[in-house]
């Protein structure tokens, strides 16, 4: 291997002939960056399958990422902030995600690579900003499936299936089966994800129909105020409860930002990405609103704040005992959890693949199989996630870790959109965010608030995750920034920016 060193943003490096001629510059703010030359075989063994998804499958993927949040997890926010606190959290986080999604729709139509968030931030904020964003997303996506696996175990125990009282075998089977399907092929995996998601959506609709006749406003406010500052029937835990509930407001939408990770595998990313992610966001707002009102409105906020399977439990409470409808939703609820688990496995593998392909993480992690699936990037985080689920069994803790990574990435993603709009107003965009930087500016402010809130909810989980994140940044600073691959698509986008400025 040979290396070419970029000593300043005003000096062109001399690349090895094995790097494409277009890679003759890079935006480097202050520090030196080293690029390692690679031959054609490097990318031959790191190739994804293109044309596997249109906008309908992408919208399905977006809903699949998140839909488990409607079945379990969000309700824990009732125990933190009461129904009023969770309602405020849902509204604030709904605004944040909607504004951010409009920004992501623009960036994904402009820079369509599997690196997604890392690729956007790489062009807007430089190598350090790109790596930081990619690592935050990776932490979120590696840990979220572990949290979902614990909820799958809870649903199976609630059904009394197989006589299981300890859920670690469920975690193992879940990881093995669904990673195995991803290894088989992306087209097959995306279609199966879509089918499972349809079942989950039917379950949400059935739940709404079943609970609507039993809705009683009084049930929303059955938590006794604790006397803290601002406490009332609407906010039983006061103003601090609103802040604590923000994390669970995020759970209604967590991972929608993963849709752009399928850019290299979509039919027409400039057209399909904006359609897919925006439609998915609109559907999630509707589903989240229905569950937030109807589930505690039929079964009580206090009871639902403690439930591992709130939807079927609410239906049983409303029916006064076991019911066919509750059993159906319990089984179909597994489909919702599986859909999110299955799809987020796709997301973490693509983010890890992109970071590794560009040299930010060990390059062996980006190897693909003959079926063009990133098999190493599927197996390594999957193993870590299984161990986290099996060793902790604590879905709430894992949610907090995932949300910390998510909120860090949201701050950086919204900054990326703002920087790209200001620095490159003439950049060709397949879609333009309504409201421009004002829209993503709103999302940025709310993302900062949400990040601060993670420390109030679980300072231990936030601190441990922050330490891991800082350790990854140290790895970049002392090692990987000296071993980057200029011909990776995300790096090429950034290098082309410098060339265009030089030509101008």
């Amino acid at each position: 291997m040979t290396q070419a060193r970029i000593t300043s943003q005003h000096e062109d490096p001399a690349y090895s002939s094995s790097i494409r001629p277009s890679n003759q510059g890079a935006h480097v703010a202050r520090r030196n960056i080293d690029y390692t030359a690679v031959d054609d075989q490097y990318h031959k063994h790191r190739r994804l399958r293109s044309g596997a998804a249109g906008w309908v499958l992408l919208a399905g993927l977006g809903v699949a990422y998140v839909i488990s949040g409607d079945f379990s997890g969000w309700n824990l926010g009732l125990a933190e902030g009461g129904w009023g606190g969770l309602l405020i959290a849902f509204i604030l986080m709904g605004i944040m995600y909607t504004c951010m999604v409009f920004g992501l729709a623009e960036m994904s139509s402009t820079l369509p690579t599997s690196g997604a968030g890392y690729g956007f931030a790489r062009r807007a904020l430089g190598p350090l900003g790109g790596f930081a964003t990619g690592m935050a997303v990776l932490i979120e996506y590696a840990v979220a499936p572990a949290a979902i696996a614990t909820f799958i175990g809870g649903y199976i125990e609630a059904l009394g299936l197989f006589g299981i009282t300890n859920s670690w075998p469920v975690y193992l089977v879940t990881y093995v089966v669904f990673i195995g399907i991803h290894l088989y092929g992306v087209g097959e995996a995306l279609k199966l994800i879509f089918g499972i998601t349809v079942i989950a959506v039917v379950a949400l609709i059935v739940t709404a129909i079943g609970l609507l006749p039993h809705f009683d406003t009084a049930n929303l406010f059955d938590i006794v105020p604790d006397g803290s500052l601002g406490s009332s029937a609407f906010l039983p835990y006061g103003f601090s409860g609103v802040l604590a509930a923000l994390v669970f407001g995020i759970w209604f939408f967590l991972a929608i930002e993963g849709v752009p990770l399928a850019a290299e595998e979509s039919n027409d990313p400039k057209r399909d990405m904006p359609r897919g992610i925006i439609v998915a966001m609109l559907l999630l707002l509707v589903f989240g609103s229905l569950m937030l009102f109807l589930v505690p409105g039929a079964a009580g906020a206090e009871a639902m704040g403690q439930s591992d399977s709130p939807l079927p439990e609410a239906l049983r409470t409303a029916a006064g005992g076991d019911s066919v409808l509750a059993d159906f939703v319990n089984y179909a609820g597994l489909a919702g959890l599986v859909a999110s688990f299955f799809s987020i496995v796709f997301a973490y593998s693509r983010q890890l693949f992109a970071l590794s392909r560009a040299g930010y993480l060990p390059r062996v992690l980006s190897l693909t199989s003959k079926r063009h699936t990133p098999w190493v990037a599927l197996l390594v985080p999957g193993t870590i996630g299984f161990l986290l689920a099996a060793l902790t069994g604590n879905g709430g803790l894992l949610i907090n870790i995932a949300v910390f990574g998510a909120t860090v990435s949201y701050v950086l993603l919204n900054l990326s959109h703002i920087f790209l709009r200001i620095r490159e107003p003439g950049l060709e965009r397949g879609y333009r965010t309504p409201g421009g930087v004002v829209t993503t500016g709103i999302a940025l402010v709310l993302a900062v608030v949400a990040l601060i809130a993670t420390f109030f909810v679980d300072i231990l989980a936030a601190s441990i995750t922050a330490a891991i994140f800082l350790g990854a940044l140290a790895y970049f600073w002392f090692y990987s920034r000296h071993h980057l691959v200029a011909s990776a698509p995300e790096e090429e986008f950034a290098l082309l920016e410098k060339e265009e400025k030089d030509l101008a």
Side-chain angles (χ1 to χ4, degrees), residues 360-405:
Y360 288 90
L361 293 174
R363 285 180 237 165
V364 67
L365 296 171
S366 58
L367 289 173
T368 54
S369 67
K370 292 181 179 179
R371 300 185 68 86
H372 303 304
T373 57
W375 63 276
V376 185
L378 283 163
L379 293 175
V380 172
T383 302
I384 295 171
F386 164 71
L387 291 174
L388 285 173
L391 293 175
T392 68
N394 188 335
L397 171 68
L398 295 172
I399 285 176
N400 290 334
I401 293 173
V403 167
F404 179 86

Side-chain angles (χ1 to χ4, degrees), residues 166-203:
N166 187 321
S167 292
W168 76 261
V170 176
Y171 310 155
L172 180 61
V173 170
T174 302
Y175 272 98
V176 169
V177 170
F178 294 108
I179 287 177
I181 296 171
H182 276 295
L183 290 171
Y184 184 72
V186 62
E188 294 78 7
L190 289 176
K191 289 171 185 175
L192 185 55
I193 287 171
F194 188 85
I196 296 172
T197 304
V198 169
I199 296 172
V201 167
V202 170

Side-chain angles (χ1 to χ4, degrees), residues 68 70-75 148-161 167 307-313 326 329-335 337:
S68 67
D70 290 315
F71 285 91
S72 193
W74 66 269
N75 57 300
I148 295 167
T150 67
F151 298 138
I152 292 174
Y155 263 67
I156 287 179
E157 286 188 39
L159 287 167
L161 296 177
S167 292
S307 176
D308 289 331
S309 51
L311 274 60
E313 188 172 324
V329 171
N330 211 150
Y331 283 101
L334 280 174
L337 295 169

Side-chain angles (χ1 to χ4, degrees), residues 243 246-247 404 407-408 411 445-458 462:
L243 195 61
L246 285 178
V247 168
F404 179 86
T407 52
V408 171
V411 171
V445 172
L446 290 172
V448 171
V449 172
L451 176 59
I452 295 170
T454 62
F455 287 93
F456 284 86
V457 175
D458 190 337

Side-chain angles (χ1 to χ4, degrees), residues 260-283:
L261 289 163
E264 290 184 32
E265 294 156 287
S266 65
N267 294 327
D268 182 357
K270 286 185 178 293
R271 183 195 66 179
D272 294 339
M273 280 295 159
R275 289 183 183 181
I277 195 170
I278 291 171
V279 169
M281 186 64 208
L282 293 175
L283 290 172

Side-chain angles (χ1 to χ4, degrees), residues 314-327:
L315 287 166
R316 291 189 181 100
T317 300
D322 287 336
S323 71
V324 174
L325 200 60
D327 289 341

Side-chain angles (χ1 to χ4, degrees), residues 203-220 286 289-299 311 314-319 325 329:
L204 293 180
I205 295 171
V206 166
T207 299
I209 293 171
L211 294 179
L212 187 59
H214 304 279
F215 177 81
D216 185 345
T217 304
N219 289 330
L220 301 174
V286 172
S289 299
L290 288 172
M291 296 305 106
L292 177 60
F293 278 85
L294 294 177
V295 172
L311 274 60
L315 287 166
R316 291 189 181 100
T317 300
L325 200 60
V329 171

